[in-house]
Amino acid sequence: MGRLIVVSNRVPTENPSGGLVVALHDVLMQRGGLWIGADPQICEEGRDRLHDMSDTNPDPAYRKLVFRLNAQERRNYYEGFANSVLWPVCHRRTDLVEMRSEYRADYLAVNMRLARLIARELGPDDQLWVHDYHFLPLASMLRSLGVRNRIGFFLHIPFPNITDLSVLPSPENFAEWLSDFNLVGLQTRGDTARCLEMFRADRRAEFMRDGTIKFDDHVLTLGSFPIGIDVQGVNEAARRGRSDRFGPVAPQDRIIGADRLDYSKGLPQKFRAFGRYLDQRPQIERRPTFTQIAAPSRGEVSAYKQITRELAQISGEVNGAYSELDWTPLRLIHRSVPREDVLGLCRQARVGLVTPLADGMNLVAKEFIAAQNPQDPGVLILSRFAGAAEDMTEAVQVNPHDVDEIAEAISYALAMPHGERLRRYEACAQVVWSTQISTWAERCLTRLAQCTPTLRSHISNHRIAV
Ligand code: GDG
């Protein structure tokens, strides 16, 4: 059997922590292989080869290699096409798309350069597993170089609807790029339905009896593989974590949110909803504290600067109206907090508020459940538009655009009797266990191994989709 080669935007440089990175690390430890990603440092030199970073990996079971970006590529490929075009298109925010021809040109150029670097490393039986929207055209580029190896792809973010896709320059490329993978894994059944709709609208696609799609002579398997977490690890970390660092709050009054600071996470709506709840508070003596961790992310992209200002303004207004000398109702922590403490806070909280406007899965929803004390669990309020909502039907589901509905859900959750909390928690916990991260990785890779192989004829006729 050949090696497994994982390609993701980042490779972990120290001991891996956090769900996805740990899962990929574990799979590579078992199977051996390579993990390829972008060097976080901008560098003009050495862009014609992959650099070995294995010295940051205490175990030699697999190697870590990085490719280098220069300042222009980082701006155009990463901040530009990946995060200012594809990210908003996939998160139903086409109003935020920044359309520039150099973004697309460098996105394609970086993927082509990476394909050449990878092709040099590949043995005939190696399998590639490519992660996320940074590398959509990578299989097409590799096929154009004659690579026939099995290549799997997993999209961590929502699959866009067909109208939003049409905002992309040359939207027909999207189907071409995906069709050059052997397996395309998506988070939910809803994502799979949207992806199928795209192929159905494309005359080049033929639907086969076994459920695969034939496109320009190449056979693609599609499927939903809901991602999860290391449930046991999260529960143990939550017990170790400290919540007292964030002020003395009685557990029954604590509400927690933890998100990357991103416009897809619905933070302004969530803040306004908490303000609305305070406006209408049923028991005036109740003094809940909502702690929101907003870990900074992509601060160089303008849409992210804007949302940071907006959140500071809304939290100022809510606290200005309701704070007392011994009570600050909304605590915004605009920095990254140690993972154990995030999870410790989740364990201590009566309510977890997870209200993205669009989200591939949302691991915080699963972590909140895994962190709970099963005897006295908290309540998860979950957006209908998080991928996690497809299976976690017993969370208190809300429309994240509807501030009144979220305010009502907060009130309902804070007053929820113990019996109902237990029932809802147990149903959610079952989902969290059944999709845990090791199962997810195994399901994806088993399916990849079963995919129809790429034929020589496909390679010889290959067009580069640009
Ligand atoms: C993408 C997709 C999909 C949060 N604050 C801190 C912190 N976190 C951790 C959480 C969680 C992770 O970050 C965030 O994961 P999410 O899944 O919620 O969201 P994205 O980062 O947008 O991830 C998403 C995911 O990929 C996996 O496929 O679910 O839909 O958008 O683990 O706990 N961690 C630390 N400090 C913080 O302050 N250490």
Side-chain angles (χ1 to χ4, degrees), residues 412-439:
Y412 185 75
L414 284 172
M416 190 179 286
H418 182 250
E420 184 176 350
R421 277 195 278 132
L422 271 184
R423 182 180 60 71
R424 287 179 181 270
Y425 161 77
E426 280 163 11
C428 289
Q430 203 170 353
V431 174
V432 171
W433 273 107
S434 67
T435 57
Q436 67 175 316
I437 190 84
S438 51
T439 317

Side-chain angles (χ1 to χ4, degrees), residues 170-182:
S170 313
E172 69 284 1
N173 286 164
F174 214 84
E176 292 162 9
W177 291 339
L178 290 182
S179 69
D180 276 319
F181 291 98
N182 301 88

Side-chain angles (χ1 to χ4, degrees), residues 81 85-86 89 99 160 164-172 174 177:
F81 201 76
V85 179
L86 291 170
V89 162
M99 202 64 82
D164 289 348
L165 260 180
S166 66
V167 167
L168 289 175
S170 313
E172 69 284 1
F174 214 84
W177 291 339

Side-chain angles (χ1 to χ4, degrees), residues 19-20 87 91 132 154 156-157 187 227 258-260 265 293 295 335-339 342-343 359-364 367:
L20 175 65
W87 180 273
H91 288 87
D132 237 356
F154 188 79
H156 290 259
I157 64 176
Q187 296 272 27
I227 198 169
D259 305 83
R260 264 188 320 98
K265 302 292 182 185
I293 298 163
R335 68 189 140 79
S336 183
V337 165
R339 182 165 172 76
V342 176
L343 298 171
D359 220 327
M361 179 54 59
N362 196 297
L363 296 179
V364 178
E367 288 164 354

Side-chain angles (χ1 to χ4, degrees), residues 10-274:
R10 293 259 163 87
V11 281
T13 46
E14 291 144 24
N15 277 341
S17 72
L20 175 65
V21 170
V22 170
L24 295 175
H25 170 79
D26 287 350
V27 176
L28 282 163
M29 289 289 284
Q30 278 168 22
R31 301 188 172 215
L34 298 179
W35 192 338
I36 299 175
D39 190 336
Q41 305 295 327
I42 290 171
C43 194
E44 293 291 339
E45 279 89 46
R47 293 167 353 99
D48 55 347
R49 62 192 174 92
L50 291 167
H51 296 262
D52 207 318
M53 300 271 289
S54 302
D55 54 350
T56 62
N57 187 13
D59 201 296
Y62 67 92
R63 282 162 67 213
K64 291 182 197 172
L65 302 176
V66 292
F67 63 96
R68 288 183 170 160
L69 298 173
N70 64 23
Q72 178 196 314
E73 286 171 335
R74 187 170 164 88
R75 203 167 49 244
N76 293 341
Y77 146 79
Y78 177 74
E79 291 160 19
F81 201 76
N83 285 317
S84 303
V85 179
L86 291 170
W87 180 273
V89 162
C90 292
H91 288 87
R92 299 178 211 126
R93 290 302 304 269
T94 49
D95 57 311
L96 295 177
V97 168
E98 283 180 40
M99 202 64 82
R100 297 201 190 159
S101 55
E102 64 270 27
Y103 286 179
R104 181 169 180 278
D106 275 351
Y107 181 76
L108 295 173
V110 167
N111 272 278
M112 191 68 215
R113 184 161 65 78
L114 179 59
R116 289 205 179 90
L117 299 176
I118 292 174
R120 278 195 233 151
E121 289 285 336
L122 270 178
D125 297 323
D126 291 345
Q127 290 190 17
L128 274 157
W129 193 17
V130 178
H131 290 263
D132 237 356
Y133 57 101
H134 313 85
F135 305 114
L136 286 162
L138 193 59
S140 293
M141 307 293 186
L142 285 161
R143 302 296 182 214
S144 76
L145 297 172
V147 168
R148 281 177 55 203
N149 300 53
R150 279 210 166 81
I151 313 179
F153 179 71
F154 188 79
L155 185 68
H156 290 259
I157 64 176
F159 196 91
N161 67 46
I162 218 161
T163 316
D164 289 348
L165 260 180
S166 66
V167 167
L168 289 175
S170 313
E172 69 284 1
N173 286 164
F174 214 84
E176 292 162 9
W177 291 339
L178 290 182
S179 69
D180 276 319
F181 291 98
N182 301 88
L183 173 69
V184 168
L186 301 164
Q187 296 272 27
T188 66
R189 298 183 292 282
D191 291 309
T192 308
R194 282 189 292 278
C195 185
L196 283 170
E197 193 193 350
M198 175 194 73
F199 279 113
R200 273 199 201 100
D202 195 314
R203 284 191 183 176
R204 297 167 293 178
E206 192 184 332
F207 288 81
M208 311 305 284
R209 279 170 161 247
D210 62 358
T212 57
I213 299 169
K214 198 168 175 195
F215 189 100
D216 272 359
D217 188 30
H218 196 250
V219 178
L220 163 71
T221 300
L222 260 189
S224 76
F225 301 86
I227 198 169
I229 55 170
D230 165 18
V231 187
Q232 184 89 26
V234 165
N235 187 269
E236 283 162 14
R239 289 157 189 254
R240 287 194 304 268
R242 289 178 48 197
S243 58
D244 53 338
R245 289 180 50 201
F246 302 95
V249 178
Q252 70 275 13
D253 284 333
R254 189 186 282 290
I255 303 171
I256 179 77
D259 305 83
R260 264 188 320 98
L261 210 172
D262 192 295
Y263 50 79
S264 66
K265 302 292 182 185
L267 293 167
Q269 291 82 348
K270 177 158 49 166
F271 280 24
R272 288 202 185 91
F274 182 63

Side-chain angles (χ1 to χ4, degrees), residues 344-356:
L345 274 167
C346 287
R347 188 175 173 88
Q348 290 305 318
R350 175 55 56 89
V351 177
L353 254 189
V354 180
T355 56

